[in-house]
Amino acid sequence: MNFELREFADTRYVPKKLSEQTVSCPVCNAETKLSIYAHDVPVVGTLLLFVLTCPNCGYRYRDSVPLAHAGKHVRITIKLNKPQALSALLYRSPYANVSIPELDIEINAGPANPGEITTPEALLLKLAETLFPLCTTVDNPEKCFDVVKKLVQAANGEVPVTLVIDDPSGLSTILKATECEYSVVVES
Ligand SMILES: [Zn+2]
């Protein structure tokens, strides 16, 4: 982990772009970009800004989330034991490590994992998709395929698992998790 605090220490006056992802416009369904910025605001603290402008229909989306824990190591744990938990809305920063203790899975932050707004369901399916082609190359393919199967079952709500997002940048956050069992632990 080579995350350093100064990476977003210069966001006081100019928001720093953390990531850009391709999404569908909620109005016309055209392909558009969702950009995510970190912005330091006096008194309020660090804000995470979400910006989308559709090049097709002109739809504009702006949202911001205060990040109380920016710069502090946070560990977000969500129990995926019901549909509401699987569809909780999360921001996973590019610095976050994702793990599922029950399946002995850990995905470390890296250039291949830009930050994203996602749900546990989408995260589990993406993990399964990433892991599947690798299974024939590992020592124990059978175990690997079993993990892929369990990931898909977990995404379908058939196997309860725990999602752990461990983020030394503190930027990862839960955007919406109504009726979910979760905890956010901040290391001081
Ligand atoms: Zn549009």
Side-chain angles (χ1 to χ4, degrees), residues 1-2 4 7 51 57-58 60 68 92 113-114 128 134 140 149 158 163-164 167 183:
M1 175 50 54
N2 48 21
E4 286 177 36
E7 283 194 43
V51 179
C57 73
R60 288 156 64 92
R92 185 189 60 76
N113 292 315
L134 302 174
N140 192 343
K149 193 176 141 195
E158 292 157 13
L163 180 69
V164 181
D167 190 346
S183 71

Side-chain angles (χ1 to χ4, degrees), residues 92-104:
R92 185 189 60 76
S93 94
Y95 311 105
N97 301 310
V98 176
S99 61
I100 298 157
E102 290 91 343
L103 302 181
D104 208 12

Side-chain angles (χ1 to χ4, degrees), residues 43-179:
V43 186
V44 176
T46 302
L47 291 177
L48 206 57
L49 307 178
F50 302 101
V51 179
L52 177 155
T53 304
C54 177
N56 187 44
C57 73
Y59 172 76
R60 288 156 64 92
Y61 169 78
R62 302 281 183 274
D63 199 1
S64 66
V65 181
L67 280 178
H69 311 312
K72 291 175 187 163
H73 195 136
V74 295
R75 177 180 281 253
I76 298 167
T77 305
I78 310 174
K79 292 249 177 255
L80 305 181
N81 52 6
K82 49 182 172 177
Q84 292 95 324
L86 285 162
S87 59
L89 208 55
L90 318 167
Y91 172 65
R92 185 189 60 76
S93 94
Y95 311 105
N97 301 310
V98 176
S99 61
I100 298 157
E102 290 91 343
L103 302 181
D104 208 12
I105 284 189
E106 187 168 343
I107 310 291
N108 292 321
N113 292 315
E116 61 182 351
I117 297 175
T118 189
T119 62
E121 181 187 3
L123 256 180
L124 292 168
L125 290 175
K126 193 174 154 193
L127 287 178
E129 241 172 60
T130 310
L131 193 59
F132 183 70
L134 302 174
C135 279
T136 51
T137 67
V138 299
D139 289 342
N140 192 343
E142 219 160 280
K143 190 188 168 203
C144 184
F145 284 123
D146 189 53
V147 170
V148 170
K149 193 176 141 195
K150 289 217 173 77
L151 281 169
V152 175
Q153 286 174 330
N156 290 335
E158 292 157 13
V159 176
V161 294
T162 311
L163 180 69
V164 181
I165 298 176
D166 194 66
D167 190 346
S169 79
L171 293 173
S172 291
T173 188
I174 295 179
L175 300 170
K176 199 178 110 205
T178 323
E179 294 176 49

Side-chain angles (χ1 to χ4, degrees), residues 22-49:
T22 304
V23 296
S24 305
C25 170
V27 175
C28 73
N29 222 26
E31 200 169 90
T32 178
K33 298 267 187 249
L34 174 69
S35 303
I36 303 170
Y37 299 86
H39 191 193
D40 281 353
V41 179
V43 186
V44 176
T46 302
L47 291 177
L48 206 57
L49 307 178

